[in-house]
Amino acid sequence: MTSMAPSSTTTGKTDDLLFRKISWRLLPVLCLCYVFNYLDRTNVGYAQLQMKEHLALSDAVFGIGASIFFVGYALFEVPSNMLLARIGVRATLLRIMGLWGLASAAMMFVATPTQFYILRFLVGVFEAGFAPGVLYYLTLWFPRRRLAQATALFFMAFSLAPIVAGPTAGAIMTWLDGARGMRGWQWLFVLEGIPCVLLGIMAFATLPDRPEQAGWLDDAERDRIAHLLRADAPTSTTHGGGGVRAAIRDARVWVLGFVSFLVILGIYALAFWKPTLLKGMGLSIMQVGLVATIPAACGVAASLLIGRHSDRTGERRWHFAIAALVAAVGLMLTTLFPKDPLPAILCLTLVSIGTSSAFTVLWSMPGGILTGQRAAAGIAIISTVGGSAGMVAPAAVGAIKAATGSFTLSLYLLSLALVLAAVILVTWFRPRDAGPVVEGSIQAR
């Protein structure tokens, strides 16, 4: 009797179960960490609603303080990610989250602009390497045909975090203002900083560095993962070898980094200044926190739907471009309603839908370019270039608002940046980028 080899359908279903199991083991912890990562880097946007009055900080001072975070972040991003490749994710997350949590909580002691600048810089230094480190970590577990979905699920936390950020900040700053002699903004930094230390300990205790160290996988499952990852390995050094130097020489890395920079300009400008924009329309701090959840929730839903459709069709360029253009239109329309909350919220919802979806699709692309040590360096470079928008956006918006008295010019400039991002991605990468996800191929013109 001749034995029958397992069919491709059976193998596919078995792999689906395997990677669903991996996703449920890894992604909840990573996503929770990412939510607090977002909270601790952007909570100053809500805190400043009380800080500026309490500490007599100007819009320009706040803008510089919000931006200087990203100076520290950019300087230490690549070194942190290269260290992760050597010592593993468990030790890296423990270091990153423990230090950034303590530095963020220490923001409660700020009394002068100089102290504000120093602590924001240190929070950036300690957070450096978190997101690109996780992206590299995912490449150790998921083959390229499944990496886009895992990446999208992880970045869903980035879209989900604003839903938590607004009501949480509003409640803390309203209900705890004056408790034990502390202002609400001080409680905000403490209650969103200390949990990061605990999450770092939890990540260290629960996340294995590699599949071969996962006690919840059996030998057959570990072998299957190793086989799929080996099948993904490039046959030449075109995509995988060379580490930092090869990643630096890869033009595609810099193009994706610049496109990310243009998108993140809008994301961070709104993250830090949206509370002020809404408060200027006559809303209370609690109302600002609650209203801010509407664009965020719509952004999460849109990123999941558009990310899933992009995965199913294998098309990236136009999914990204259309999403970026939707965000650009939303920003331009927002300028028409400087004092009217309802239409302004609808316009900001378009912005959130566009930026969240564009960001998700964009970050599904690097996994098809790089592998191995080159992936660690390349992802860190893309993240560093993109994240450097945080140095520009809050300070620039603050300076423009101080000079003009409104957000109108800033919103127009951010809209143009999104249009430019769409044009660059569509024209630089070939249509074959819309090919099957299983190939994970991204070729530049």
Side-chain angles (χ1 to χ4, degrees):
M1 181 179 294
T2 303
S3 62
M4 297 287 291
S7 68
S8 59
T9 302
T10 302
T11 301
K13 291 181 178 179
T14 302
D15 286 350
D16 287 344
L17 292 174
L18 171 59
F19 287 102
R20 188 176 298 123
K21 176 180 179 180
I22 293 171
S23 295
W24 276 108
R25 286 282 186 166
L26 303 183
L27 289 171
V29 176
L30 296 174
C31 287
L32 185 59
C33 292
Y34 201 19
V35 167
F36 274 88
N37 177 261
Y38 180 93
L39 295 180
D40 277 351
R41 69 169 55 181
T42 62
N43 57 12
V44 70
Y46 288 96
Q48 57 102 9
L49 298 178
Q50 289 180 344
M51 286 180 74
K52 286 196 299 186
E53 179 181 353
H54 186 207
L55 302 180
L57 300 179
S58 67
D59 284 335
V61 168
F62 169 74
I64 294 171
S67 294
I68 204 170
F69 163 94
F70 295 95
V71 177
Y73 192 90
L75 289 175
F76 288 86
E77 184 92 308
V78 174
S80 178
N81 221 39
M82 297 310 295
L83 183 62
L84 177 145
R86 295 182 181 180
I87 68 175
V89 70
R90 296 168 67 244
T92 299
L93 289 183
L94 180 62
R95 168 183 62 83
I96 288 176
M97 300 196 68
L99 292 176
W100 110 44
L102 292 174
S104 182
M107 286 286 296
M108 67 173 288
F109 298 112
V110 165
T112 67
T114 300
Q115 293 171 354
F116 182 49
Y117 297 154
I118 291 173
L119 279 174
R120 285 296 296 175
F121 177 80
L122 288 177
V123 174
V125 169
F126 296 145
E127 280 195 21
F130 173 77
V134 172
L135 293 174
Y136 170 69
Y137 180 59
L138 294 178
T139 67
L140 305 179
W141 292 83
F142 294 91
R144 273 180 283 175
R145 69 177 298 265
R146 297 179 183 273
L147 188 59
Q149 183 179 9
T151 302
L153 288 172
F154 172 64
F155 275 117
M156 182 183 69
F158 187 85
S159 301
L160 183 64
I163 300 176
V164 179
T168 301
I172 291 174
M173 293 173 64
T174 300
W175 296 339
L176 293 181
D177 191 31
R180 296 187 177 273
M182 292 168 53
R183 295 299 306 271
W185 65 267
Q186 293 175 305
W187 280 112
L188 180 64
F189 287 123
V190 172
L191 295 180
E192 292 187 351
I194 296 302
C196 296
V197 180
L198 303 178
L199 281 174
I201 296 171
M202 182 178 73
F204 183 81
T206 60
L207 296 178
D209 285 322
R210 293 177 178 271
E212 54 267 31
Q213 299 172 357
W216 36 268
L217 293 174
D218 60 36
D219 290 339
E221 290 171 329
R222 295 190 195 98
D223 290 343
R224 180 60 179 167
I225 296 169
H227 169 75
L228 292 172
L229 294 176
R230 283 196 303 269
D232 268 350
T235 56
S236 69
T237 59
T238 302
H239 295 288
V244 177
R245 291 182 181 179
I248 290 174
R249 292 194 298 266
D250 194 328
R252 296 163 301 178
V253 169
W254 295 100
V255 172
L256 288 176
F258 182 60
V259 171
S260 177
F261 173 89
L262 294 172
V263 175
I264 291 175
L265 280 176
I267 291 175
Y268 279 134
L270 288 178
F272 289 110
W273 288 104
K274 183 168 61 179
T276 300
L277 178 67
L278 294 174
K279 192 170 186 290
M281 297 178 182
L283 301 179
S284 68
I285 292 177
M286 191 65 193
Q287 288 172 330
V288 168
L290 293 174
V291 165
T293 65
I294 298 172
C298 293
V300 170
S303 65
L304 288 175
L305 292 173
I306 293 173
R308 184 179 302 165
H309 188 268
S310 178
D311 273 352
R312 187 168 63 249
T313 62
E315 204 285 324
R316 304 297 187 202
R317 297 159 68 240
W318 288 106
H319 280 78
F320 171 87
I322 292 172
L325 292 175
V326 167
V329 170
L331 284 172
M332 287 189 288
L333 291 177
T334 303
T335 64
L336 302 177
F337 309 102
K339 297 296 181 181
D340 197 340
L342 180 57
I345 287 297
L346 294 177
C347 295
L348 290 173
T349 298
L350 283 180
V351 178
S352 183
I353 287 171
T355 54
S356 296
S357 301
F359 199 63
T360 295
V361 174
L362 179 68
W363 272 109
S364 69
M365 297 176 72
I369 297 178
L370 306 168
T371 60
Q373 288 287 324
R374 193 171 180 182
I379 290 171
I381 290 171
I382 294 169
S383 181
T384 300
V385 174
S388 64
M391 301 180 206
V392 179
V397 172
I400 292 172
K401 182 177 182 294
T404 66
S406 76
F407 290 102
T408 300
L409 179 58
S410 299
L411 295 176
Y412 278 125
L413 293 175
L414 296 172
S415 177
L416 289 175
L418 288 164
V419 172
L420 181 59
V423 171
I424 290 174
L425 196 77
V426 168
T427 57
W428 181 269
F429 293 104
R430 293 177 180 175
R432 75 173 64 182
D433 302 338
V437 177
V438 295
E439 295 298 325
S441 176
I442 300 177
Q443 301 294 329
R445 286 189 182 276

